[in-house]
Amino acid sequence: MERIRENARLLYEKRRQGVSLVVAMCAAALILGLALSVIRSAALLLDRAGRRVERERCCQLAQSFAGVLEKRLQEEDDFCAFVNDALESGETVRCRAEGEESEITVTVHPSAWEEDVPEEGAFPYEESLGEVARIREENRFLRCSFTLEVAAALERESFACKDVYCRWDTLEPRFFREDGEEIYWDGVDWYADPTLMEPVVPPEDGLTITYRCDPDDILETTILRRGREGGGP
């Protein structure tokens, strides 16, 4: 009888130890799961922070490069010629530059050409001084607009800014007598030849001078930024 009791006690102790071991293993698994969850959350936060920093770098890079291009458009260098060629063709063109860590893509999106260039006008000979000055001062026309897109890309992020530009052309007016012969102004008088050797003598009944602007006879081209799509500086 005593032996049966001893065996029952030992069996009870072993059961208690087994339950304690199961409880300990469950607790360890729970702690391990919580630790892994914390590590995963921290990794996600670090990844998001890294991507946010990378995106900010892309934004700064794109905007900085766009500012450089704006200055180059005022200097009329090879990039300005590249843009004007795109405007003349009317097709979207793209160029790309790659660095060690980044890639810059510049895209020109031309819009339709404006058709508001006046073809001709006229004024009396007596009003030549003021009219010629006015015509040359006002002979600047909006010819077209385009969007300049600058996209910067790093390993995982990219950002693009789009600036809207307008191209203004100053045209060289040509002046004619009533018989259709071209005449030339030196700031004071009219002449019948470009060497300013033969002055124009108006008839007694007066002379009407006509002028014409050829859209292809461009004296000066100016490209100005109008704004940024979606706002921004």
Side-chain angles (χ1 to χ4, degrees):
M1 190 66 179
E2 192 67 28
R3 186 175 179 181
I4 293 174
R5 289 179 179 176
E6 182 65 21
N7 290 337
R9 187 182 63 80
L10 291 174
L11 181 60
Y12 176 72
E13 291 293 333
K14 289 181 179 181
R15 286 180 178 177
R16 287 185 58 188
Q17 292 177 1
V19 171
S20 298
L21 180 61
V22 171
V23 171
M25 291 179 64
C26 290
L30 179 61
I31 294 173
L32 180 61
L34 290 174
L36 291 175
S37 177
V38 171
I39 293 174
R40 182 174 181 275
S41 299
L44 289 175
L45 290 175
L46 288 175
D47 181 71
R48 290 175 182 173
R51 298 195 68 163
R52 183 167 59 251
V53 171
E54 195 169 304
R55 182 169 178 81
E56 289 176 355
R57 286 183 59 197
C58 284
C59 178
Q60 294 173 358
L61 184 60
Q63 292 179 346
S64 176
F65 202 82
V68 172
L69 294 183
E70 181 181 3
K71 293 180 180 178
R72 291 187 61 180
L73 286 173
Q74 312 306 316
E75 298 171 357
E76 299 185 5
D77 60 1
D78 55 345
F79 178 71
C80 187
F82 168 78
V83 170
N84 281 319
D85 288 343
L87 298 180
E88 295 291 343
S89 68
E91 298 180 356
T92 298
V93 295
R94 182 177 290 106
C95 61
R96 182 177 288 108
E98 295 184 1
E100 294 183 359
E101 299 180 354
S102 62
E103 180 181 88
I104 298 291
T105 303
V106 179
T107 308
V108 181
H109 304 277
S111 300
W113 285 78
E114 301 290 339
E115 301 293 341
D116 62 348
V117 179
E119 295 184 356
E120 60 183 20
F123 55 88
Y125 176 89
E126 296 77 12
E127 299 178 7
S128 296
L129 187 61
E131 284 297 307
V132 172
R134 179 191 63 79
I135 292 168
R136 286 181 171 170
E137 182 179 352
E138 298 177 357
N139 209 28
R140 182 170 176 261
F141 305 100
L142 173 63
R143 301 302 309 284
C144 65
S145 60
F146 64 94
T147 301
L148 184 64
E149 178 182 355
V150 178
L154 295 176
E155 183 178 354
R156 297 178 300 174
E157 289 291 334
S158 63
F159 179 85
C161 61
K162 298 180 180 181
D163 290 326
V164 180
Y165 285 85
C166 293
R167 172 178 144 176
W168 298 79
D169 288 347
T170 300
L171 305 182
E172 180 65 35
R174 300 174 63 187
F175 300 92
F176 303 88
R177 293 188 303 196
E178 293 174 338
D179 58 4
E181 291 294 326
E182 187 170 3
I183 55 178
Y184 306 89
W185 178 253
D186 72 343
V188 179
D189 294 310
W190 291 103
Y191 292 84
D193 62 300
T195 60
L196 307 179
M197 298 295 293
E198 182 183 349
V200 174
V201 179
E204 294 182 358
D205 58 350
L207 174 64
T208 298
I209 298 175
T210 61
Y211 67 91
R212 184 169 64 245
C213 298
D214 187 346
D216 295 327
D217 194 5
I218 300 173
L219 184 64
E220 182 183 22
T221 292
T222 305
I223 296 178
L224 301 174
R225 187 170 80 100
R226 190 171 64 187
R228 176 160 295 171
E229 291 187 4

